[in-house]
Amino acid sequence: GENVEQHPSTLSVQEGDSAVIKCTYSDSASNYFPWYKQELGKRPQLIIDIRSNVGEKKDQRIAVTLNKTAKHFSLHITETQPEDSAVYFCAAINNAGNMLTFGGGTRLMVKP
Amino acid sequence: GAGVSQSPRYKVAKRGQDVALRCDPISGHVSLFWYQQALGQGPEFLTYFQNEAQLDKSGLPSDRFFAERPEGSVSTLKIQRTQQEDSAVYLCASSLAMNSNQPQHFGDGTRLSIL
């Protein structure tokens, strides 16, 4: 089955700096890669996703890049703000096209 | 409501008791998923419904876990004879379409504590 590895597990940045979180996946047939933000005690919230037919997608301060050959994808947050502090999860859809396989999460701390 | 709704938000049960967790998906969403999230970890897949059909239950950890969605809308996850290792947050998600590549939207989850 699919295996998703995520790093770093924790990331501390100064407000205004950029943050990058990286994930690798094992199943070359995976074709959909969402990113979720989860604040303490709250639901995972979809912040951006990318499909395998594109290499990059941007939404304001957030961007995701996908390298299908290397089987890795990354989340980039620019001009970080304290409210960006949360746990971020990457995920991949398996080749059967239903369940999400999640990475282990990255705790992002943005210091004011 | 506009989002996925789960109840109860918190459930405390004694070991050996049965529990039932409810999920109301977004109206019109065909697909419904249950995930289990242990403390400090990512969610892990339990089971998947397309309308009322349970198409994948490969993630259910044991035969004590049972899920149903009899009318293709509300779903219930039941855990019989609960054990301490069942303590976790149980998340429900729904998506609009049957095919892959569709965003899954999560509820706030039920935090289950087994004493």
Side-chain angles (χ1 to χ4, degrees):
Chain A
E2 175 70 280
N3 183 49
V4 177
E5 300 285 340
Q6 181 173 349
H7 61 94
S9 57
T10 59
L11 179 59
S12 182
V13 300
Q14 208 65 38
E15 182 178 1
D17 288 350
S18 294
V20 180
I21 302 170
K22 298 183 179 181
C23 289
T24 60
Y25 62 98
S26 61
D27 187 349
S28 57
S30 289
N31 54 13
Y32 174 66
F33 308 91
W35 286 86
Y36 288 87
K37 175 185 180 181
Q38 189 175 31
E39 296 176 67
L40 192 62
K42 298 201 173 174
R43 69 183 69 192
Q45 181 185 8
L46 181 67
I47 56 171
I48 196 168
D49 56 12
I50 191 166
R51 292 172 175 79
S52 59
N53 57 343
V54 298
E56 183 173 358
K57 184 177 178 181
K58 210 170 182 180
D59 182 4
Q60 299 182 356
R61 296 187 297 110
I62 295 173
V64 58
T65 58
L66 171 64
N67 183 326
K68 284 189 65 180
T69 303
K71 291 189 284 188
H72 67 69
F73 55 114
S74 301
L75 177 71
H76 304 252
I77 306 174
T78 58
E79 300 171 28
T80 53
Q81 301 166 2
E83 50 265 38
D84 294 331
S85 297
V87 178
Y88 290 80
F89 291 99
C90 63
I93 285 278
N94 73 345
N95 58 2
N98 45 64
M99 70 178 181
L100 287 168
T101 300
F102 284 84
T106 297
R107 181 174 299 279
L108 175 63
M109 293 169 284
V110 181
K111 300 178 190 173
Chain B
V4 177
S5 178
Q6 292 188 246
S7 61
R9 285 296 318 277
Y10 305 93
K11 176 71 179 176
V12 179
K14 291 183 179 179
R15 189 177 55 175
Q17 290 183 329
D18 299 347
V19 297
L21 313 179
R22 177 189 169 103
C23 172
D24 272 285
I26 295 172
S27 179
H29 277 199
V30 169
S31 298
L32 185 147
F33 306 82
W34 284 98
Y35 293 85
Q36 181 190 61
Q37 186 174 27
L39 191 64
Q41 297 182 23
E44 291 191 354
F45 171 78
L46 293 176
T47 187
Y48 158 61
F49 290 86
Q50 196 177 96
N51 295 308
E52 69 279 1
Q54 189 175 21
L55 298 188
D56 188 343
K57 53 181 181 179
S58 62
L60 295 177
S62 76
D63 58 7
R64 297 186 295 104
F65 287 70
F66 172 77
E68 60 183 3
R69 193 186 185 198
E71 297 178 358
S73 178
V74 170
S75 177
T76 303
L77 176 66
K78 298 179 180 178
I79 309 174
Q80 298 176 321
R81 304 181 304 280
T82 52
Q83 300 178 5
Q84 285 194 317
E85 60 262 31
D86 299 335
S87 296
V89 175
Y90 290 85
L91 293 165
C92 177
S94 69
S95 68
L96 181 62
M98 293 181 285
N99 51 310
S100 62
N101 306 341
Q102 295 301 312
Q104 294 185 23
H105 301 277
F106 283 83
D108 282 329
T110 294
R111 182 176 296 276
L112 176 65
S113 299
I114 304 300
L115 304 179

mmCIF file of all heavy atoms in Angstrom, chain A residues 43, chain B residues 1-7 21-34 47-52 68-77 91-97 103-109:
data_model
loop_
_atom_site.group_PDB
_atom_site.id
_atom_site.type_symbol
_atom_site.label_atom_id
_atom_site.label_comp_id
_atom_site.label_asym_id
_atom_site.label_seq_id
_atom_site.Cartn_x
_atom_site.Cartn_y
_atom_site.Cartn_z
ATOM 1 N N ARG A 43 -10.763 20.297 13.457
ATOM 2 C CA ARG A 43 -10.756 19.414 12.299
ATOM 3 C C ARG A 43 -9.582 19.697 11.375
ATOM 4 O O ARG A 43 -9.105 20.836 11.292
ATOM 5 C CB ARG A 43 -12.069 19.608 11.515
ATOM 6 C CG ARG A 43 -12.195 20.967 10.818
ATOM 7 C CD ARG A 43 -13.543 21.111 10.130
ATOM 8 N NE ARG A 43 -14.614 21.214 11.109
ATOM 9 C CZ ARG A 43 -15.907 21.115 10.817
ATOM 10 N NH1 ARG A 43 -16.275 20.883 9.564
ATOM 11 N NH2 ARG A 43 -16.828 21.231 11.743
ATOM 12 N N GLY B 1 -26.477 22.602 8.271
ATOM 13 C CA GLY B 1 -25.173 23.206 8.365
ATOM 14 C C GLY B 1 -24.357 22.967 7.108
ATOM 15 O O GLY B 1 -24.632 22.069 6.334
ATOM 16 N N ALA B 2 -23.292 23.720 6.967
ATOM 17 C CA ALA B 2 -22.516 23.659 5.749
ATOM 18 C C ALA B 2 -21.447 22.587 5.786
ATOM 19 O O ALA B 2 -20.985 22.154 4.740
ATOM 20 C CB ALA B 2 -21.875 25.013 5.500
ATOM 21 N N GLY B 3 -21.038 22.177 6.987
ATOM 22 C CA GLY B 3 -19.916 21.263 7.080
ATOM 23 C C GLY B 3 -20.319 19.876 7.550
ATOM 24 O O GLY B 3 -21.501 19.577 7.762
ATOM 25 N N VAL B 4 -19.293 19.022 7.705
ATOM 26 C CA VAL B 4 -19.504 17.692 8.260
ATOM 27 C C VAL B 4 -19.702 17.824 9.773
ATOM 28 O O VAL B 4 -18.920 18.502 10.441
ATOM 29 C CB VAL B 4 -18.294 16.786 7.962
ATOM 30 C CG1 VAL B 4 -18.479 15.421 8.604
ATOM 31 C CG2 VAL B 4 -18.085 16.655 6.450
ATOM 32 N N SER B 5 -20.735 17.181 10.275
ATOM 33 C CA SER B 5 -21.060 17.285 11.683
ATOM 34 C C SER B 5 -20.905 15.924 12.352
ATOM 35 O O SER B 5 -21.409 14.913 11.833
ATOM 36 C CB SER B 5 -22.497 17.785 11.846
ATOM 37 O OG SER B 5 -22.862 17.843 13.203
ATOM 38 N N GLN B 6 -20.211 15.900 13.490
ATOM 39 C CA GLN B 6 -20.020 14.654 14.224
ATOM 40 C C GLN B 6 -20.518 14.806 15.654
ATOM 41 O O GLN B 6 -20.377 15.871 16.255
ATOM 42 C CB GLN B 6 -18.543 14.252 14.240
ATOM 43 C CG GLN B 6 -18.002 13.859 12.879
ATOM 44 C CD GLN B 6 -16.601 13.295 12.967
ATOM 45 O OE1 GLN B 6 -15.638 13.892 12.466
ATOM 46 N NE2 GLN B 6 -16.480 12.139 13.603
ATOM 47 N N SER B 7 -21.066 13.716 16.178
ATOM 48 C CA SER B 7 -21.506 13.726 17.572
ATOM 49 C C SER B 7 -21.323 12.350 18.190
ATOM 50 O O SER B 7 -21.378 11.336 17.477
ATOM 51 C CB SER B 7 -22.987 14.155 17.644
ATOM 52 O OG SER B 7 -23.807 13.242 16.942
ATOM 53 N N LEU B 21 -20.723 6.258 17.363
ATOM 54 C CA LEU B 21 -20.324 7.591 16.954
ATOM 55 C C LEU B 21 -21.049 7.935 15.655
ATOM 56 O O LEU B 21 -21.107 7.121 14.727
ATOM 57 C CB LEU B 21 -18.801 7.649 16.731
ATOM 58 C CG LEU B 21 -17.929 7.016 17.840
ATOM 59 C CD1 LEU B 21 -16.461 7.116 17.469
ATOM 60 C CD2 LEU B 21 -18.213 7.633 19.180
ATOM 61 N N ARG B 22 -21.539 9.174 15.585
ATOM 62 C CA ARG B 22 -22.388 9.562 14.460
ATOM 63 C C ARG B 22 -21.708 10.582 13.571
ATOM 64 O O ARG B 22 -20.984 11.454 14.050
ATOM 65 C CB ARG B 22 -23.696 10.143 14.992
ATOM 66 C CG ARG B 22 -24.659 10.662 13.931
ATOM 67 C CD ARG B 22 -25.811 11.399 14.591
ATOM 68 N NE ARG B 22 -26.613 12.127 13.614
ATOM 69 C CZ ARG B 22 -27.799 11.720 13.173
ATOM 70 N NH1 ARG B 22 -28.334 10.603 13.605
ATOM 71 N NH2 ARG B 22 -28.468 12.452 12.281
ATOM 72 N N CYS B 23 -21.972 10.468 12.269
ATOM 73 C CA CYS B 23 -21.446 11.438 11.304
ATOM 74 C C CYS B 23 -22.554 11.866 10.352
ATOM 75 O O CYS B 23 -23.207 11.035 9.717
ATOM 76 C CB CYS B 23 -20.299 10.824 10.496
ATOM 77 S SG CYS B 23 -19.721 11.863 9.131
ATOM 78 N N ASP B 24 -22.724 13.195 10.249
ATOM 79 C CA ASP B 24 -23.628 13.780 9.253
ATOM 80 C C ASP B 24 -22.774 14.427 8.172
ATOM 81 O O ASP B 24 -22.159 15.463 8.426
ATOM 82 C CB ASP B 24 -24.504 14.865 9.895
ATOM 83 C CG ASP B 24 -25.767 14.310 10.490
ATOM 84 O OD1 ASP B 24 -26.666 13.978 9.708
ATOM 85 O OD2 ASP B 24 -25.848 14.217 11.725
ATOM 86 N N PRO B 25 -22.710 13.855 6.981
ATOM 87 C CA PRO B 25 -21.854 14.431 5.940
ATOM 88 C C PRO B 25 -22.477 15.701 5.351
ATOM 89 O O PRO B 25 -23.623 16.036 5.657
ATOM 90 C CB PRO B 25 -21.807 13.320 4.894
ATOM 91 C CG PRO B 25 -23.135 12.641 5.037
ATOM 92 C CD PRO B 25 -23.459 12.687 6.509
ATOM 93 N N ILE B 26 -21.709 16.361 4.535
ATOM 94 C CA ILE B 26 -22.228 17.511 3.794
ATOM 95 C C ILE B 26 -23.340 17.011 2.864
ATOM 96 O O ILE B 26 -23.187 15.964 2.213
ATOM 97 C CB ILE B 26 -21.109 18.201 3.008
ATOM 98 C CG1 ILE B 26 -20.081 18.802 3.992
ATOM 99 C CG2 ILE B 26 -21.657 19.282 2.082
ATOM 100 C CD1 ILE B 26 -18.821 19.338 3.352
ATOM 101 N N SER B 27 -24.440 17.735 2.833
ATOM 102 C CA SER B 27 -25.593 17.325 2.045
ATOM 103 C C SER B 27 -25.210 17.098 0.580
ATOM 104 O O SER B 27 -24.555 17.947 -0.043
ATOM 105 C CB SER B 27 -26.672 18.406 2.127
ATOM 106 O OG SER B 27 -27.798 18.048 1.346
ATOM 107 N N GLY B 28 -25.599 15.938 0.062
ATOM 108 C CA GLY B 28 -25.328 15.628 -1.335
ATOM 109 C C GLY B 28 -24.004 14.935 -1.587
ATOM 110 O O GLY B 28 -23.728 14.505 -2.711
ATOM 111 N N HIS B 29 -23.178 14.823 -0.552
ATOM 112 C CA HIS B 29 -21.892 14.148 -0.734
ATOM 113 C C HIS B 29 -22.100 12.640 -0.801
ATOM 114 O O HIS B 29 -22.685 12.035 0.079
ATOM 115 C CB HIS B 29 -20.929 14.514 0.395
ATOM 116 C CG HIS B 29 -20.228 15.809 0.150
ATOM 117 N ND1 HIS B 29 -19.069 16.159 0.804
ATOM 118 C CD2 HIS B 29 -20.524 16.841 -0.677
ATOM 119 C CE1 HIS B 29 -18.659 17.348 0.376
ATOM 120 N NE2 HIS B 29 -19.532 17.786 -0.516
ATOM 121 N N VAL B 30 -21.547 12.059 -1.857
ATOM 122 C CA VAL B 30 -21.736 10.640 -2.132
ATOM 123 C C VAL B 30 -20.819 9.772 -1.278
ATOM 124 O O VAL B 30 -21.196 8.728 -0.777
ATOM 125 C CB VAL B 30 -21.487 10.374 -3.637
ATOM 126 C CG1 VAL B 30 -21.409 8.889 -3.926
ATOM 127 C CG2 VAL B 30 -22.559 11.041 -4.476
ATOM 128 N N SER B 31 -19.586 10.235 -1.132
ATOM 129 C CA SER B 31 -18.574 9.414 -0.451
ATOM 130 C C SER B 31 -18.407 9.841 0.999
ATOM 131 O O SER B 31 -18.418 11.032 1.313
ATOM 132 C CB SER B 31 -17.235 9.536 -1.177
ATOM 133 O OG SER B 31 -17.342 9.053 -2.503
ATOM 134 N N LEU B 32 -18.226 8.841 1.869
ATOM 135 C CA LEU B 32 -18.045 9.102 3.298
ATOM 136 C C LEU B 32 -16.933 8.214 3.821
ATOM 137 O O LEU B 32 -16.866 7.025 3.471
ATOM 138 C CB LEU B 32 -19.352 8.851 4.056
ATOM 139 C CG LEU B 32 -19.362 9.189 5.558
ATOM 140 C CD1 LEU B 32 -20.739 9.685 5.986
ATOM 141 C CD2 LEU B 32 -18.923 8.026 6.414
ATOM 142 N N PHE B 33 -16.074 8.801 4.624
ATOM 143 C CA PHE B 33 -14.884 8.106 5.127
ATOM 144 C C PHE B 33 -14.816 8.231 6.646
ATOM 145 O O PHE B 33 -15.163 9.269 7.202
ATOM 146 C CB PHE B 33 -13.610 8.740 4.554
ATOM 147 C CG PHE B 33 -13.586 8.843 3.051
ATOM 148 C CD1 PHE B 33 -14.228 9.892 2.404
ATOM 149 C CD2 PHE B 33 -12.921 7.894 2.288
ATOM 150 C CE1 PHE B 33 -14.207 10.002 1.022
ATOM 151 C CE2 PHE B 33 -12.897 7.997 0.904
ATOM 152 C CZ PHE B 33 -13.542 9.048 0.270
ATOM 153 N N TRP B 34 -14.305 7.196 7.285
ATOM 154 C CA TRP B 34 -13.962 7.245 8.701
ATOM 155 C C TRP B 34 -12.446 7.059 8.840
ATOM 156 O O TRP B 34 -11.846 6.196 8.181
ATOM 157 C CB TRP B 34 -14.669 6.151 9.490
ATOM 158 C CG TRP B 34 -16.112 6.397 9.752
ATOM 159 C CD1 TRP B 34 -17.184 5.903 9.050
ATOM 160 C CD2 TRP B 34 -16.678 7.157 10.822
ATOM 161 N NE1 TRP B 34 -18.364 6.323 9.617
ATOM 162 C CE2 TRP B 34 -18.084 7.110 10.712
ATOM 163 C CE3 TRP B 34 -16.131 7.904 11.880
ATOM 164 C CZ2 TRP B 34 -18.938 7.745 11.596
ATOM 165 C CZ3 TRP B 34 -16.984 8.543 12.761
ATOM 166 C CH2 TRP B 34 -18.373 8.463 12.619
ATOM 167 N N THR B 47 -12.596 3.084 7.066
ATOM 168 C CA THR B 47 -13.567 2.517 6.147
ATOM 169 C C THR B 47 -14.141 3.604 5.241
ATOM 170 O O THR B 47 -14.035 4.796 5.538
ATOM 171 C CB THR B 47 -14.684 1.781 6.915
ATOM 172 O OG1 THR B 47 -15.544 1.096 5.993
ATOM 173 C CG2 THR B 47 -15.513 2.746 7.748
ATOM 174 N N TYR B 48 -14.769 3.158 4.136
ATOM 175 C CA TYR B 48 -15.245 4.071 3.096
ATOM 176 C C TYR B 48 -16.589 3.603 2.547
ATOM 177 O O TYR B 48 -16.778 2.397 2.316
ATOM 178 C CB TYR B 48 -14.185 4.103 1.975
ATOM 179 C CG TYR B 48 -14.652 4.542 0.607
ATOM 180 C CD1 TYR B 48 -15.188 5.799 0.402
ATOM 181 C CD2 TYR B 48 -14.504 3.704 -0.499
ATOM 182 C CE1 TYR B 48 -15.588 6.208 -0.865
ATOM 183 C CE2 TYR B 48 -14.889 4.099 -1.762
ATOM 184 C CZ TYR B 48 -15.428 5.356 -1.943
ATOM 185 O OH TYR B 48 -15.808 5.763 -3.195
ATOM 186 N N PHE B 49 -17.501 4.558 2.395
ATOM 187 C CA PHE B 49 -18.821 4.300 1.820
ATOM 188 C C PHE B 49 -19.008 5.122 0.552
ATOM 189 O O PHE B 49 -18.603 6.284 0.488
ATOM 190 C CB PHE B 49 -19.938 4.700 2.796
ATOM 191 C CG PHE B 49 -20.051 3.820 4.001
ATOM 192 C CD1 PHE B 49 -19.268 4.056 5.130
ATOM 193 C CD2 PHE B 49 -20.940 2.767 4.030
ATOM 194 C CE1 PHE B 49 -19.380 3.248 6.250
ATOM 195 C CE2 PHE B 49 -21.073 1.957 5.154
ATOM 196 C CZ PHE B 49 -20.278 2.199 6.255
ATOM 197 N N GLN B 50 -19.670 4.499 -0.402
ATOM 198 C CA GLN B 50 -20.171 5.224 -1.558
ATOM 199 C C GLN B 50 -21.684 5.055 -1.514
ATOM 200 O O GLN B 50 -22.202 3.954 -1.699
ATOM 201 C CB GLN B 50 -19.595 4.634 -2.836
ATOM 202 C CG GLN B 50 -19.721 5.519 -4.050
ATOM 203 C CD GLN B 50 -19.044 4.877 -5.245
ATOM 204 O OE1 GLN B 50 -19.697 4.213 -6.054
ATOM 205 N NE2 GLN B 50 -17.739 5.054 -5.366
ATOM 206 N N ASN B 51 -22.386 6.139 -1.248
ATOM 207 C CA ASN B 51 -23.811 6.060 -0.901
ATOM 208 C C ASN B 51 -23.975 5.092 0.271
ATOM 209 O O ASN B 51 -23.309 5.253 1.282
ATOM 210 C CB ASN B 51 -24.637 5.668 -2.116
ATOM 211 C CG ASN B 51 -24.587 6.726 -3.203
ATOM 212 O OD1 ASN B 51 -24.849 7.897 -2.934
ATOM 213 N ND2 ASN B 51 -24.226 6.346 -4.415
ATOM 214 N N GLU B 52 -24.810 4.073 0.157
ATOM 215 C CA GLU B 52 -25.003 3.173 1.301
ATOM 216 C C GLU B 52 -24.067 1.963 1.271
ATOM 217 O O GLU B 52 -24.033 1.175 2.220
ATOM 218 C CB GLU B 52 -26.463 2.698 1.336
ATOM 219 C CG GLU B 52 -26.862 1.752 0.211
ATOM 220 C CD GLU B 52 -27.187 2.468 -1.070
ATOM 221 O OE1 GLU B 52 -27.086 3.720 -1.102
ATOM 222 O OE2 GLU B 52 -27.533 1.789 -2.053
ATOM 223 N N GLU B 68 -21.868 1.649 9.439
ATOM 224 C CA GLU B 68 -23.010 1.526 8.538
ATOM 225 C C GLU B 68 -23.445 2.893 8.053
ATOM 226 O O GLU B 68 -23.187 3.910 8.704
ATOM 227 C CB GLU B 68 -24.173 0.809 9.233
ATOM 228 C CG GLU B 68 -24.687 1.505 10.469
ATOM 229 C CD GLU B 68 -25.797 0.717 11.158
ATOM 230 O OE1 GLU B 68 -26.122 -0.397 10.711
ATOM 231 O OE2 GLU B 68 -26.346 1.228 12.154
ATOM 232 N N ARG B 69 -24.142 2.890 6.906
ATOM 233 C CA ARG B 69 -24.685 4.118 6.323
ATOM 234 C C ARG B 69 -25.947 3.713 5.560
ATOM 235 O O ARG B 69 -25.994 3.752 4.342
ATOM 236 C CB ARG B 69 -23.655 4.758 5.383
ATOM 237 C CG ARG B 69 -23.967 6.184 4.960
ATOM 238 C CD ARG B 69 -22.976 6.681 3.922
ATOM 239 N NE ARG B 69 -23.209 8.078 3.604
ATOM 240 C CZ ARG B 69 -22.734 8.672 2.498
ATOM 241 N NH1 ARG B 69 -21.994 7.975 1.633
ATOM 242 N NH2 ARG B 69 -22.977 9.950 2.293
ATOM 243 N N PRO B 70 -26.959 3.292 6.287
ATOM 244 C CA PRO B 70 -28.089 2.580 5.679
ATOM 245 C C PRO B 70 -28.864 3.343 4.613
ATOM 246 O O PRO B 70 -29.400 2.712 3.690
ATOM 247 C CB PRO B 70 -28.979 2.252 6.887
ATOM 248 C CG PRO B 70 -28.543 3.180 7.957
ATOM 249 C CD PRO B 70 -27.103 3.454 7.736
ATOM 250 N N GLU B 71 -28.947 4.659 4.707
ATOM 251 C CA GLU B 71 -29.714 5.417 3.721
ATOM 252 C C GLU B 71 -28.828 6.308 2.867
ATOM 253 O O GLU B 71 -29.315 7.203 2.180
ATOM 254 C CB GLU B 71 -30.800 6.231 4.437
ATOM 255 C CG GLU B 71 -31.812 5.341 5.164
ATOM 256 C CD GLU B 71 -32.859 6.144 5.914
ATOM 257 O OE1 GLU B 71 -32.783 7.387 5.903
ATOM 258 O OE2 GLU B 71 -33.749 5.519 6.508
ATOM 259 N N GLY B 72 -27.540 6.050 2.930
ATOM 260 C CA GLY B 72 -26.624 6.809 2.076
ATOM 261 C C GLY B 72 -26.356 8.222 2.533
ATOM 262 O O GLY B 72 -25.806 9.017 1.770
ATOM 263 N N SER B 73 -26.718 8.532 3.795
ATOM 264 C CA SER B 73 -26.438 9.879 4.305
ATOM 265 C C SER B 73 -25.681 9.772 5.623
ATOM 266 O O SER B 73 -24.464 9.607 5.611
ATOM 267 C CB SER B 73 -27.735 10.664 4.463
ATOM 268 O OG SER B 73 -27.469 11.944 4.986
ATOM 269 N N VAL B 74 -26.416 9.765 6.736
ATOM 270 C CA VAL B 74 -25.791 9.649 8.058
ATOM 271 C C VAL B 74 -25.088 8.299 8.200
ATOM 272 O O VAL B 74 -25.573 7.272 7.714
ATOM 273 C CB VAL B 74 -26.865 9.808 9.148
ATOM 274 C CG1 VAL B 74 -26.311 9.463 10.518
ATOM 275 C CG2 VAL B 74 -27.427 11.224 9.126
ATOM 276 N N SER B 75 -23.951 8.336 8.880
ATOM 277 C CA SER B 75 -23.209 7.100 9.132
ATOM 278 C C SER B 75 -22.957 6.953 10.620
ATOM 279 O O SER B 75 -22.825 7.953 11.346
ATOM 280 C CB SER B 75 -21.878 7.121 8.381
ATOM 281 O OG SER B 75 -21.111 5.956 8.674
ATOM 282 N N THR B 76 -22.885 5.707 11.075
ATOM 283 C CA THR B 76 -22.566 5.412 12.462
ATOM 284 C C THR B 76 -21.398 4.449 12.510
ATOM 285 O O THR B 76 -21.374 3.453 11.777
ATOM 286 C CB THR B 76 -23.773 4.784 13.178
ATOM 287 O OG1 THR B 76 -24.897 5.659 13.084
ATOM 288 C CG2 THR B 76 -23.455 4.553 14.649
ATOM 289 N N LEU B 77 -20.427 4.776 13.344
ATOM 290 C CA LEU B 77 -19.309 3.874 13.628
ATOM 291 C C LEU B 77 -19.535 3.304 15.015
ATOM 292 O O LEU B 77 -19.679 4.055 15.986
ATOM 293 C CB LEU B 77 -17.982 4.633 13.574
ATOM 294 C CG LEU B 77 -16.724 3.837 13.939
ATOM 295 C CD1 LEU B 77 -16.450 2.742 12.915
ATOM 296 C CD2 LEU B 77 -15.509 4.755 14.057
ATOM 297 N N LEU B 91 -12.439 10.623 13.167
ATOM 298 C CA LEU B 91 -12.779 11.667 12.212
ATOM 299 C C LEU B 91 -13.624 11.101 11.073
ATOM 300 O O LEU B 91 -13.360 10.008 10.578
ATOM 301 C CB LEU B 91 -11.511 12.283 11.611
ATOM 302 C CG LEU B 91 -10.618 13.084 12.570
ATOM 303 C CD1 LEU B 91 -9.243 13.301 11.951
ATOM 304 C CD2 LEU B 91 -11.258 14.416 12.904
ATOM 305 N N CYS B 92 -14.603 11.861 10.677
ATOM 306 C CA CYS B 92 -15.423 11.524 9.523
ATOM 307 C C CYS B 92 -15.144 12.567 8.438
ATOM 308 O O CYS B 92 -14.919 13.754 8.735
ATOM 309 C CB CYS B 92 -16.897 11.546 9.917
ATOM 310 S SG CYS B 92 -18.051 11.241 8.566
ATOM 311 N N ALA B 93 -15.119 12.142 7.191
ATOM 312 C CA ALA B 93 -14.930 13.059 6.063
ATOM 313 C C ALA B 93 -15.914 12.683 4.962
ATOM 314 O O ALA B 93 -16.316 11.519 4.850
ATOM 315 C CB ALA B 93 -13.504 12.996 5.536
ATOM 316 N N SER B 94 -16.281 13.664 4.166
ATOM 317 C CA SER B 94 -17.130 13.369 3.011
ATOM 318 C C SER B 94 -16.595 14.085 1.786
ATOM 319 O O SER B 94 -15.873 15.082 1.889
ATOM 320 C CB SER B 94 -18.589 13.768 3.272
ATOM 321 O OG SER B 94 -18.754 15.173 3.348
ATOM 322 N N SER B 95 -16.913 13.539 0.624
ATOM 323 C CA SER B 95 -16.552 14.193 -0.627
ATOM 324 C C SER B 95 -17.704 14.058 -1.610
ATOM 325 O O SER B 95 -18.530 13.154 -1.509
ATOM 326 C CB SER B 95 -15.261 13.627 -1.218
ATOM 327 O OG SER B 95 -15.431 12.304 -1.643
ATOM 328 N N LEU B 96 -17.707 14.980 -2.552
ATOM 329 C CA LEU B 96 -18.875 15.141 -3.419
ATOM 330 C C LEU B 96 -19.075 13.981 -4.368
ATOM 331 O O LEU B 96 -20.192 13.497 -4.544
ATOM 332 C CB LEU B 96 -18.750 16.457 -4.198
ATOM 333 C CG LEU B 96 -19.889 16.803 -5.150
ATOM 334 C CD1 LEU B 96 -21.195 16.954 -4.374
ATOM 335 C CD2 LEU B 96 -19.571 18.089 -5.898
ATOM 336 N N ALA B 97 -17.993 13.524 -4.988
ATOM 337 C CA ALA B 97 -18.146 12.603 -6.105
ATOM 338 C C ALA B 97 -17.608 11.222 -5.772
ATOM 339 O O ALA B 97 -16.985 11.001 -4.745
ATOM 340 C CB ALA B 97 -17.431 13.173 -7.334
ATOM 341 N N PRO B 103 -11.749 16.570 -3.187
ATOM 342 C CA PRO B 103 -11.385 16.959 -1.821
ATOM 343 C C PRO B 103 -12.260 16.264 -0.787
ATOM 344 O O PRO B 103 -13.467 16.118 -0.968
ATOM 345 C CB PRO B 103 -11.643 18.473 -1.817
ATOM 346 C CG PRO B 103 -11.588 18.890 -3.236
ATOM 347 C CD PRO B 103 -12.100 17.728 -4.026
ATOM 348 N N GLN B 104 -11.633 15.847 0.290
ATOM 349 C CA GLN B 104 -12.349 15.290 1.430
ATOM 350 C C GLN B 104 -12.408 16.366 2.510
ATOM 351 O O GLN B 104 -11.395 16.935 2.883
ATOM 352 C CB GLN B 104 -11.650 14.028 1.943
ATOM 353 C CG GLN B 104 -11.688 12.877 0.950
ATOM 354 C CD GLN B 104 -11.096 11.604 1.501
ATOM 355 O OE1 GLN B 104 -11.020 11.387 2.711
ATOM 356 N NE2 GLN B 104 -10.687 10.712 0.602
ATOM 357 N N HIS B 105 -13.617 16.591 3.022
ATOM 358 C CA HIS B 105 -13.846 17.608 4.034
ATOM 359 C C HIS B 105 -14.156 16.913 5.356
ATOM 360 O O HIS B 105 -15.050 16.058 5.415
ATOM 361 C CB HIS B 105 -14.998 18.530 3.617
ATOM 362 C CG HIS B 105 -14.745 19.213 2.307
ATOM 363 N ND1 HIS B 105 -13.987 20.358 2.217
ATOM 364 C CD2 HIS B 105 -15.107 18.895 1.042
ATOM 365 C CE1 HIS B 105 -13.910 20.723 0.949
ATOM 366 N NE2 HIS B 105 -14.576 19.865 0.216
ATOM 367 N N PHE B 106 -13.444 17.325 6.394
ATOM 368 C CA PHE B 106 -13.519 16.631 7.672
ATOM 369 C C PHE B 106 -14.456 17.319 8.655
ATOM 370 O O PHE B 106 -14.649 18.538 8.627
ATOM 371 C CB PHE B 106 -12.124 16.555 8.304
ATOM 372 C CG PHE B 106 -11.247 15.515 7.694
ATOM 373 C CD1 PHE B 106 -10.538 15.780 6.535
ATOM 374 C CD2 PHE B 106 -11.122 14.258 8.273
ATOM 375 C CE1 PHE B 106 -9.730 14.807 5.961
ATOM 376 C CE2 PHE B 106 -10.310 13.285 7.716
ATOM 377 C CZ PHE B 106 -9.611 13.552 6.551
ATOM 378 N N GLY B 107 -14.986 16.488 9.566
ATOM 379 C CA GLY B 107 -15.684 17.006 10.727
ATOM 380 C C GLY B 107 -14.699 17.257 11.865
ATOM 381 O O GLY B 107 -13.498 16.999 11.726
ATOM 382 N N ASP B 108 -15.215 17.766 12.986
ATOM 383 C CA ASP B 108 -14.353 18.055 14.143
ATOM 384 C C ASP B 108 -13.934 16.807 14.897
ATOM 385 O O ASP B 108 -13.051 16.867 15.744
ATOM 386 C CB ASP B 108 -15.068 19.005 15.111
ATOM 387 C CG ASP B 108 -15.035 20.446 14.608
ATOM 388 O OD1 ASP B 108 -14.053 20.815 13.931
ATOM 389 O OD2 ASP B 108 -15.993 21.196 14.884
ATOM 390 N N GLY B 109 -14.589 15.682 14.622
ATOM 391 C CA GLY B 109 -14.195 14.439 15.249
ATOM 392 C C GLY B 109 -14.887 14.172 16.572
ATOM 393 O O GLY B 109 -15.488 15.064 17.180
#
